[in-house]
Amino acid sequence: MTEAIQKSMSLEGVDLRLLFGRNDVNLKIIEDQFGTRIVARGNEISIKGDEDEVTRVVSLFHDLTTYLRKNLDLPERYLWYAIAMIKENGKGPAEVLDADTVISTLSKEPIVPKTLGQKRYTTAVSEYDIVFCIGPAGTGKTYLAVAMAVAELKRKTVQRIILTRPAVEAGESLGFLPGDIRAKVDPYLRPVYDALHDLVEPDKIKKLMELGVIEIVPLAFMRGRTLNNSFVILDEAQNTTTAQMKMFLTRLGESSRSIITGDVTQIDLDRSKASGLITAERILKGIPGIKFVHLDATDVVRHHLVMEIIRAYEKHEKVKK
């Protein structure tokens, strides 16, 4: 264990109310996470504790002030992400993350990559025709895919968006659920609808769907089609079989692009069936024009406890193995 030390640093030119949080909640989080004592006096803070931890906290404050100057805001979500990155490699993400807008939501707030993993993801989509994004829940895989598809549609680089998911049954057969085929499959496609409604006005969605510019369909309905000038998204791809994945990938036509997203820790297929997503990575990795991007718990953009939950389950699975 290293000896206890004390360091001071100036925070001149930074909005301390945003940096420290309401009732200094950000300082309390940082103290708790690094086991240090932080005292603020004017535009200067004093950090006392274990030498290694004090060094990390100084790096964290440099990162937070950089982010604050660039974005004029400091969400709690970013604070937790920066803490995770500092703990992992001693370096914060603010210098690397930029403010490139993917698309604006209905609230006019720009969508930007919130983590380094998300930045790799959005960069890959701009450079490759087929991108596989594999990662746990809460990392923004589906949301960013839909956002990038809408952006391409607005730029008129594609003529339509096709969103699809495998309708994997979970205890009940689709045939016994009430309603027509749309009513039966809509629950499986709800996350796709949710992302779309956050990005496009509801009346426009209805009109675009009536015109066939936006399609939201179960994966089974994709068989036999050739998709030209399209942006095609396959969500929950871990629940495809190898045959379904091959069928989907071979639908892509001229001037089309595709994003395939999935979480290999949440496979709902019968154990006798191999996941098409896992098989695809083994078969297709290394093919020019196809890119695999992996996100992890540090890329979670939901409640910070989701990151800890994912890590706890990962640790549990490793112990079981």
Side-chain angles (χ1 to χ4, degrees), residues 10 41 45 61-62 69 81 88-89 99 161 192 219 224 286 317:
S10 173
R41 293 190 181 89
I45 58 169
F61 272 104
H62 281 304
R69 289 189 180 102
Y81 177 56
E88 188 171 298
N89 54 37
I161 298 172
V192 175
L219 181 59
E317 289 300 319

Side-chain angles (χ1 to χ4, degrees), residues 160 162-166 215 217-227 232 234 239-252 273:
R160 57 181 171 164
I162 299 169
L163 308 149
T164 185
R165 264 187 165 204
E215 289 185 58
V217 295
L219 181 59
F221 291 10
M222 300 289 283
R223 190 173 298 278
R225 302 181 64 182
T226 300
L227 307 173
V232 193
L234 171 59
N239 289 327
T240 62
T241 63
T242 300
Q244 286 174 325
M245 178 62 78
K246 180 183 177 184
M247 179 273 290
F248 171 80
L249 292 172
T250 53
R251 300 308 93 203
L252 214 60
K273 297 178 180 178

Side-chain angles (χ1 to χ4, degrees), residues 208-224:
L208 291 171
M209 291 183 72
E210 289 173 351
L211 294 171
V213 176
I214 294 179
E215 289 185 58
I216 303 177
V217 295
L219 181 59
F221 291 10
M222 300 289 283
R223 190 173 298 278

